[in-house]
Amino acid sequence: MSTSTTQFKHVSYLWDDAKAAELAGDEVALLIYRSNLLGTDLRLTNYGGGNTSCKVMDKDPLTGKEVEVMWIKGSGGDIGTLKKSGLAALYVDRLRSLKNVYRGIEFEDEMVELFNHSIFDLNSKAPSIDTPLHGFLPFKHIDHLHPDAAIAIAAAKDGEKITKELFGGTIGWVHWQRPGFDLGLQLKECLDNNPGIRGIMLGSHGLFTWGDTAYESYINTLEVIEKCAEYLEENYKKKGAAFGGKKIDSLPEADRKKQAVALAPILRGFCSSKTQMIGHFTDDARVLEYINSNDLERLAPLGTSCPDHFLRTKISPLVLEIKAGDDLSDVDAIKAKLTPAFEAYRKMYEDYYNTCKHLNSPAIRDANPVVILYPGVGMFTFAKDKQTARVAAEFYINAINVMKGAEAISEYTSLPRQEAFDIEYWLLEEAKLSRMPKPKALSGRVALITGSAGGIGKAIAKKFVEEGAVVVLNDMNAERLQSAGEEFKQAYGKDAYTTATLDVTKAEEIQEAIATAILAFGGVDLIVNNAGLSISKTIADHTEKDWDLLYDVLVKGQFLVTQAAVAVMKKQAIGGDIINIVSKNALVSGPNNAGYGSAKAAQLHLSRLNAAELGPDHIRVNVINPDAVISDSNIWAGGWAEGRAKAYGITVAELPAYYAKRTLLNEIILPVDIANACFALTGGLLNKSTGNVINVDGGVAAGFVR
C-alpha cells in the first residue's frame, strides 16, 4: 500500500527531506536519523525498546576488501536518543556463520559471547540479544519496534489470523519465542516461506519491518503501524465502551491529587522495605479508563505480554481496595488495611519465583510491586530512581493500550508465567543488571532544600543530585527559580528535580511544596532548612519589623518546614534527615547583630530539641554552621555586607579577605564547602549521628562548640 504523508492519523510523520539530503551517502547517519524519529513517538516504541539496523559495504581494515557490515543499536540503548557511540557494528558473514556452531535453543546464551567475534568496529557498543534477528534478514534497513497498535494484535488470541486477513498475507507471523539466535533463524525461515512480505509480526512481542533505504524502511514502518491502529479504531467504534464499561467514576482532578498526596508516602514506605524507592504518579485518562472499568479485576492479574513491558513493570500490578473517596487521614488505619495487601503481593511474587525458578536462576529480586493501581484516582509506580519509575508508568500505559486493543478485536492473552519468568530472570538480563553502575550514596532519596535557586542552597542541591538524590528546587523569586530549573534540566535532565515557589513563612506554600515533592517523587526524606536573610544593625537602629522578619524566616520557617516534612517522613516510616543551615553567629557574640544572632541561636536550639524528639523515628537532625559565605548569596544583598563592613571598620571590598584572615585556616568559605558538609552528614558514613553541629567556617575559635 502507499500512504501519503498527510494521511497518517495514528503515527507522526517526521521525515525532513532537507535534513535527510544532508546525510545522503552516509547510511549509518541515516540509520541514526530514522531511529531518533521513530523513538520520539511513544506510540511506535517504548523507551529503551525496539531495535534498528542498517547494512553497508565497507573496507575490511585487515584485508582491504569490501565486506558487508551491519550497524545496529547496541545493548541497553534507546533509539530515540541513539548516537553512533550507541551502535554495534558487525561483519555480516561472520555473524551468519555462527549458525555452523549453534548447538540449539537450550544453548542460546552462549551465542551472545560469540557475537563479539563478529565485531567490525572496535568502538562498538556491546551487541544486543536482537542482533541475529536483524542479521539473518537480507534487507539494508530494518526496524524492530514495539508499537501498541501492533502488539495489541500480536497479543490477541486470534492474532495470527487477524494479521493474515488485515494485511492480505503481506505480513508474516512468528509465534512467541524469547529473543535470541533461534528466533533470528525463524524470522529468516518465515521470509523464505513468504517471499515478498513487507514485515513480520512477533506473537505477543512486536513488529519487524524493513526497506532498501532508510526512508523506505521508515515509511513502511509507519504504514504498517497506521493500518494496525486504523483497524483497532474501527473495532473500538463497533465494540463501544472499552474494558467492559465503567464501573466507578473518577474523583475530580483536584481530589485525585489530594488523595495521591495523602497515600503516596505510605505506599512508598511499603515499597521501600528492601530498597529505598522513588515514586511517580499519573492520572492519565488512559489509566483512569482502565482502572475504573469492569474488566480491571479480570485483566490486571494477567500481567503484560511484551517482554519489555513486564521487565519494567513486574509480572502484574497491585490493585488497591481502598475506595477513591475514603478518608486517608488516619494513617495507622490505612497502614493496617494495606499491610495484608502488600503481604499477599509479596507472597504471590515469591510463589511465582519458586514455582518457575531453575537450578541456575539468579536470586529472587525485590518482591514489592512496581505498579500500584488506585481505582478512581490513578497509578503509582516505584523504582530505584525517578527515570525508572516514570518509564515503568509509560510501559504500563503501553500495556493498557495493548489490552484495550486486543480486547476490542478478540481477547487479550498474556505470556505464560514460565515464559515471563524466563525473561525476567534470564541470565543475560542478570548479567546486564550486574554491569549497571552501583547506586550512588543518595540514590532513592528525595531532598527539599529551602532557598535552593541560588547560593548555598543551589550548591547543596547540585551536590545531592550528583550523589544520586532527586531534589525539589524552591525559592520565593519565581524568575530565579525558573533559571535554576533550566540550569538543572540542562545539567542533570528532567528526572533529577522538580520546582516549587516557596516562602517559608507561609504554611500553605510549604504544604504545596511538600505536595509537589510527593506527586513528583512519592515523598520526601531529606530536608535542608537553608532559606535565610541577614540584617545587621545596632540595637538602637533595629526595628520591630526587622526583628519579626528575621524570626519569621529563620526560626518560624525552620519550624514550619520541619513540621510539614516530619509528618510525611512518619508516614513513610523509613527514617530521614533534617539539616539546618545555621551560623557561627548562633554561638558567637558580636556587634550590630542582636536580631540575626539571636534568631540563629534559636535555630540551633530548635535543632537540638527536634533531634531529641525525632530520634525514635530514625529522623536525624543536625546543624551546619557556616560563616561568611559570600559567593552568590542573597544574604549579602540588602545592606548586610555594608553593615558588617561598618561594624569591622573596613570596606565591603575588604570583607572576603578580612573573614579569611580571622580564621585558623585562613580560608575563604564557598557554597560548595557547605554542600560537602551536608553530604558528609547524609551520605551514609554518619547514619548514627544526630544532634550534632559541624562548623564550616575556616576555624573561628570563638565559634567552637563547648
Side-chain angles (χ1 to χ4, degrees):
M1 85 187 131
S2 178
T3 305
S4 77
T5 59
T6 59
Q7 289 179 317
F8 291 116
K9 296 177 182 176
H10 304 282
V11 297
S12 300
Y13 178 87
L14 302 173
W15 191 274
D16 184 329
D17 288 333
K19 176 66 176 175
E22 294 174 8
L23 306 175
D26 186 342
E27 294 301 305
V28 177
L30 285 166
L31 162 65
I32 295 168
Y33 176 61
R34 178 178 95 246
S35 302
N36 293 163
L37 297 185
L38 294 171
T40 60
D41 188 345
L42 290 179
R43 294 171 297 180
L44 303 183
T45 200
N46 35 255
Y47 176 84
N51 214 314
T52 49
S53 68
C54 75
K55 300 182 184 75
V56 299
M57 299 304 294
D58 207 338
K59 185 178 289 186
D60 189 330
L62 298 179
T63 67
K65 294 180 180 178
E66 289 286 304
V67 292
E68 189 174 23
V69 177
M70 181 173 74
W71 291 81
I72 183 169
K73 187 196 85 170
S75 179
D78 169 55
I79 64 171
T81 54
L82 187 65
K83 296 179 174 61
K84 192 169 185 178
S85 59
L87 294 170
L90 305 95
Y91 291 93
V92 173
D93 59 348
R94 292 188 191 178
L95 180 64
R96 290 175 179 167
S97 70
L98 292 178
K99 64 185 177 185
N100 297 323
V101 297
Y102 179 49
R103 298 197 292 157
I105 197 165
E106 63 271 27
F107 300 100
E108 279 283 350
D109 292 5
E110 70 182 19
M111 301 306 293
V112 177
E113 292 297 322
L114 295 178
F115 295 165
N116 293 324
H117 293 280
S118 303
I119 294 293
F120 172 83
D121 178 40
L122 297 183
N123 293 318
S124 279
K125 190 86 169 171
S128 79
I129 192 65
D130 283 341
T131 299
L133 280 64
H134 293 248
F136 286 118
L137 295 174
F139 307 102
K140 297 297 183 188
H141 289 265
I142 299 174
D143 298 326
H144 166 43
L145 303 180
H146 299 145
D148 295 345
I151 301 178
I153 296 173
K157 185 176 69 174
D158 305 311
E160 183 176 8
K161 177 173 176 285
I162 291 168
T163 299
K164 184 175 182 180
E165 293 174 353
L166 179 61
F167 289 97
T170 61
I171 296 290
W173 177 276
V174 172
H175 290 288
W176 158 257
Q177 185 171 304
R178 191 174 67 176
F181 203 82
D182 190 73
L183 185 56
L185 295 174
Q186 287 197 38
L187 289 174
K188 178 64 165 60
E189 182 181 3
C190 179
L191 178 65
D192 290 343
N193 293 337
N194 300 276
I197 56 175
R198 62 188 303 186
I200 297 173
M201 192 81 80
L202 301 181
S204 295
H205 184 164
L207 178 69
F208 265 81
T209 41
W210 48 71
D212 289 330
T213 67
Y215 180 76
E216 286 180 16
S217 188
Y218 178 75
I219 201 72
N220 185 31
T221 297
L222 293 192
E223 287 176 355
V224 171
I225 298 170
E226 178 77 9
K227 192 168 182 66
C228 292
E230 285 178 347
Y231 178 70
L232 296 184
E233 194 68 32
E234 291 168 5
N235 281 273
Y236 292 147
K237 293 174 183 175
K238 293 177 187 174
K239 190 174 181 69
F243 300 123
K246 185 165 65 173
K247 182 177 182 180
I248 65 168
D249 291 319
S250 295
L251 293 178
E253 183 179 3
D255 291 338
R256 295 199 299 270
K257 298 290 195 290
K258 182 179 177 181
Q259 292 295 86
V261 167
L263 190 61
I266 299 173
L267 297 177
R268 183 173 181 235
F270 277 106
C271 289
S272 298
S273 62
K274 183 175 180 180
T275 302
Q276 192 150 316
M277 297 293 186
I278 299 294
H280 178 81
F281 173 75
T282 178
D283 53 359
D284 183 284
R286 294 166 294 182
V287 171
L288 294 173
E289 181 182 50
Y290 172 64
I291 65 176
N292 295 347
S293 73
N294 285 301
D295 286 345
L296 174 67
E297 189 176 349
R298 173 175 64 86
L299 292 173
L302 295 179
T304 59
S305 59
C306 177
D308 275 47
H309 295 175
F310 65 71
L311 278 173
R312 301 279 189 155
T313 64
K314 262 201 173 73
I315 189 67
S316 59
L318 170 62
V319 181
L320 300 180
E321 294 184 3
I322 300 172
K323 289 185 170 57
D326 280 0
D327 180 4
L328 304 182
S329 60
D330 188 337
V331 175
D332 290 339
I334 296 300
K335 287 185 176 182
K337 191 166 187 176
L338 287 174
T339 296
F342 273 86
E343 288 175 348
Y345 187 95
R346 291 166 187 155
K347 184 178 186 306
M348 176 278 294
Y349 188 82
E350 289 164 3
D351 289 346
Y352 154 72
Y353 175 85
N354 290 324
T355 302
C356 298
K357 69 179 179 180
H358 305 286
L359 289 176
N360 62 346
S361 291
I364 188 170
R365 303 195 187 109
D366 194 333
N368 285 303
V370 171
V371 178
I372 300 176
L373 306 177
Y374 186 1
V377 175
M379 172 172 69
F380 303 89
T381 47
F382 292 92
K384 63 177 182 174
D385 55 46
K386 174 64 178 182
Q387 185 194 47
T388 307
R390 175 180 57 79
V391 169
E394 292 174 1
F395 272 70
Y396 200 75
I397 291 174
N398 289 135
I400 289 171
N401 294 339
V402 167
M403 287 186 271
K404 180 179 179 179
E407 288 285 304
I409 59 175
S410 175
E411 182 182 328
Y412 172 70
T413 58
S414 60
L415 281 183
R417 282 295 199 258
Q418 188 65 56
E419 292 289 340
F421 179 90
D422 290 346
I423 286 283
E424 185 177 355
Y425 282 89
W426 196 357
L427 292 176
L428 293 177
E429 188 66 31
E430 182 71 11
K432 186 190 294 184
L433 292 173
S434 69
R435 291 195 299 268
M436 296 181 73
K438 298 290 183 188
K440 293 184 177 180
L442 298 182
S443 291
R445 305 197 71 186
V446 183
L448 188 153
I449 305 103
T450 63
S452 45
I456 292 173
K458 186 161 73 171
I460 297 169
K462 285 182 175 180
K463 181 66 177 178
F464 283 0
V465 169
E466 288 162 3
E467 295 296 341
V470 290
V471 299
V472 183
L473 298 175
N474 59 88
D475 202 274
M476 288 175 60
N477 185 321
E479 186 176 337
R480 183 174 158 100
L481 180 60
Q482 182 181 359
S483 175
E486 290 169 356
E487 180 182 346
F488 270 63
K489 185 175 184 179
Q490 185 69 29
Y492 307 115
K494 66 180 182 179
D495 291 314
Y497 75 99
T498 189
T499 62
T501 304
L502 175 59
D503 178 343
V504 298
T505 68
K506 296 178 179 176
E508 65 276 11
E509 289 193 14
I510 293 170
Q511 291 296 338
E512 288 170 8
I514 294 288
T516 296
I518 293 170
L519 289 174
F521 305 123
V524 67
D525 37 42
L526 206 170
I527 294 292
V528 182
N529 283 301
N530 164 77
L533 81 158
S534 308
I535 297 173
S536 175
K537 292 181 181 179
T538 66
I539 195 164
D541 292 335
H542 224 300
T543 66
E544 185 177 353
K545 182 179 179 183
D546 294 334
W547 182 273
D548 288 343
L549 180 60
L550 284 166
Y551 273 76
D552 279 352
V553 173
L554 300 176
V555 186
K556 180 181 174 183
Q558 177 178 308
F559 167 74
L560 290 176
V561 171
T562 299
Q563 184 182 56
V566 164
V568 177
M569 292 179 187
K570 287 186 175 182
K571 277 187 174 184
Q572 295 168 159
I574 51 177
D577 274 286
I578 296 168
I579 299 177
N580 296 321
I581 307 299
V582 185
S583 171
K584 170 227 43 171
N585 288 284
L587 297 164
V588 177
S589 302
N592 304 352
N593 202 17
Y596 180 76
S598 62
K600 284 295 177 182
Q603 281 188 281
L604 177 57
H605 196 55
L606 178 58
S607 302
R608 296 187 183 109
L609 294 166
N610 290 159
E613 179 180 337
L614 299 173
D617 295 295
H618 293 279
I619 299 171
R620 304 179 312 118
V621 185
N622 291 291
V623 168
I624 305 290
N625 275 352
D627 185 42
V629 184
I630 298 173
S631 175
D632 192 30
S633 174
N634 273 347
I635 283 181
W636 295 91
W640 172 262
E642 288 81 358
R644 300 321 293 157
K646 181 180 178 181
Y648 299 129
I650 59 176
T651 67
V652 171
E654 293 172 312
L655 270 176
Y658 174 84
Y659 281 127
K661 285 179 181 177
R662 75 180 186 180
T663 70
L664 299 174
L665 300 177
N666 194 24
E667 294 279 3
I668 294 174
I669 311 304
L670 300 172
V672 68
D673 299 318
I674 314 305
N676 289 336
C678 289
F679 176 61
L681 282 169
T682 57
L685 296 180
L686 296 176
N687 280 348
K688 295 180 181 177
S689 296
T690 191
N692 292 304
V693 177
I694 295 181
N695 292 336
V696 185
D697 57 11
V700 177
F704 289 176
V705 180
R706 293 176 177 83

